[in-house]
Amino acid sequence: MKPIKLMKEIMSDIASVIYPNICIGCGSIMPFGSGMMCDKCMAEFCDKHNDRCPVCGRIIYHRGKCRGCNSEKLYFDRGHSLFEYKDSVRNAVLRCKYKNMKYIGRYFGELMADYAENNGMGGFDIVTAVPLHKNRLRQRGYNQSEIPAVMVASRLGTPCAAVLERVVDTKPQNSLSREERLRNIRRAFAVKDKEAIKGKNILLIDDIYTTGATVNECAKVLKKNGAARVEFLTLSCRAED
Ligand SMILES: [Zn+2]
Ligand SMILES: [Zn+2]
């Protein structure tokens, strides 16, 4: 081995001990300079399932719309999600949310901005993140959906604005059943400035699309206050069971 190459490898080993590269999916330590994910997690992130609900973008295993879009009153016009919410994707989302790892949010933002651009998403007047209640925001320090919202907005050349606020400090949705989620999230959001959204096309950004209750409630409030069109883009979605 050439001395320079050997030196680089030694430096890399030292650096990985001092400042280890942790895979955002599984938490394993990777060689310095490996990027954000190990090969195994990268393969899971990229494992694309192509059958999607044509309305909300949920992964489905049959033709036509998903059950939720067939049975519920929807207020959004169209939804898109990048990945299935499982395994390494799920771990990475939880790390970003609860471990204050903002760089994961920036990585998600990059992926979501690429998706929006590559899939011809556009025609929006405002990009906005699903807001956190101020108590949750204080506790967590930041809104994990705001980082991708700013990045997607910038890529699409659209202003990013906080047009919604969360007026009820709801229980975390992940501990609740479907019916409880719907009840829990009802009237949780309000529009900050009605004039700002009147006749506007709005793109909502969130991290996960599970039952759809949160995104649909945001869309409902936006539409009832005069928004013309509401689409959403989430990093991940739960597949239909
Ligand atoms: Zn990994
Ligand atoms: Zn659907």
Side-chain angles (χ1 to χ4, degrees):
M1 193 179 276
K2 285 183 181 158
I4 293 178
K5 202 170 171 209
L6 180 65
M7 194 55 133
K8 270 191 183 163
E9 293 227 335
I10 292 170
M11 292 299 285
S12 163
D13 284 347
I14 294 170
S16 68
V17 172
I18 301 169
Y19 184 73
N21 257 25
I22 308 281
C23 168
I24 63 167
C26 65
S28 65
I29 295 173
M30 305 182 293
F32 189 67
S34 299
M36 303 290 282
M37 274 182 288
C38 72
D39 294 344
K40 189 180 145 280
C41 291
M42 185 65 99
E44 274 177 21
F45 256 73
C46 296
D47 178 21
K48 285 208 182 82
H49 187 290
N50 290 321
D51 293 334
R52 300 283 189 143
C53 169
V55 181
C56 72
R58 185 189 298 286
I59 294 166
I60 50 174
Y61 299 98
H62 54 84
R63 284 177 180 266
K65 293 193 262 182
C66 74
R67 280 197 299 279
C69 289
N70 264 324
S71 62
E72 269 153 47
K73 174 143 182 55
L74 303 178
Y75 294 91
F76 57 81
D77 297 277
R78 181 80 172 88
H80 314 257
S81 302
L82 276 68
F83 308 111
E84 183 173 356
Y85 185 64
K86 63 171 193 177
D87 307 329
S88 59
V89 177
R90 183 174 179 274
N91 291 337
V93 167
L94 294 177
R95 281 199 172 90
C96 176
K97 225 164 167 170
Y98 300 115
K99 300 241 165 118
N100 202 25
M101 294 179 173
K102 285 190 198 151
Y103 69 94
I104 300 179
R106 286 193 287 275
Y107 180 62
F108 290 163
E110 201 65 44
L111 296 175
M112 290 166 82
D114 286 348
Y115 178 94
E117 196 179 12
N118 297 336
N119 288 278
M121 292 178 71
F124 304 107
D125 302 298
I126 299 165
V127 176
T128 196
V130 170
L132 292 180
H133 188 267
K134 58 179 190 310
N135 294 350
R136 192 80 57 81
L137 190 63
R138 203 176 306 131
Q139 196 178 45
R140 206 177 286 171
Y142 68 105
N143 177 356
Q144 75 284 351
S145 297
E146 229 164 65
I147 304 167
V150 168
M151 294 173 75
V152 169
S154 141
R155 185 78 68 85
L156 297 179
T158 306
C160 185
V163 294
L164 286 169
E165 61 183 328
R166 205 160 184 139
V167 288
V168 181
D169 192 5
T170 52
K171 282 186 234 163
Q173 292 279 83
N174 56 15
S175 61
L176 305 173
S177 74
R178 218 171 158 282
E179 280 65 35
E180 286 170 336
R181 280 175 189 237
L182 285 169
R183 217 174 310 126
N184 185 44
I185 208 76
R186 207 167 288 152
R187 289 186 277 279
F189 300 97
V191 161
K192 282 186 173 174
D193 176 5
K194 246 178 147 168
E195 282 308 306
I197 62 154
K198 207 175 240 169
K200 296 289 191 318
N201 293 343
I202 299 172
L203 176 63
L204 265 171
I205 305 286
D206 207 0
D207 49 4
I208 325 160
Y209 182 74
T210 47
T211 61
T214 303
V215 161
N216 204 31
E217 187 66 23
C218 287
K220 181 180 175 180
V221 171
L222 291 168
K223 284 278 180 78
K224 291 213 157 162
N225 284 281
R229 190 176 166 81
V230 178
E231 291 192 28
F232 71 83
L233 173 63
T234 60
L235 179 84
S236 58
C237 69
R238 224 184 261 289
E240 190 175 74
D241 29 64

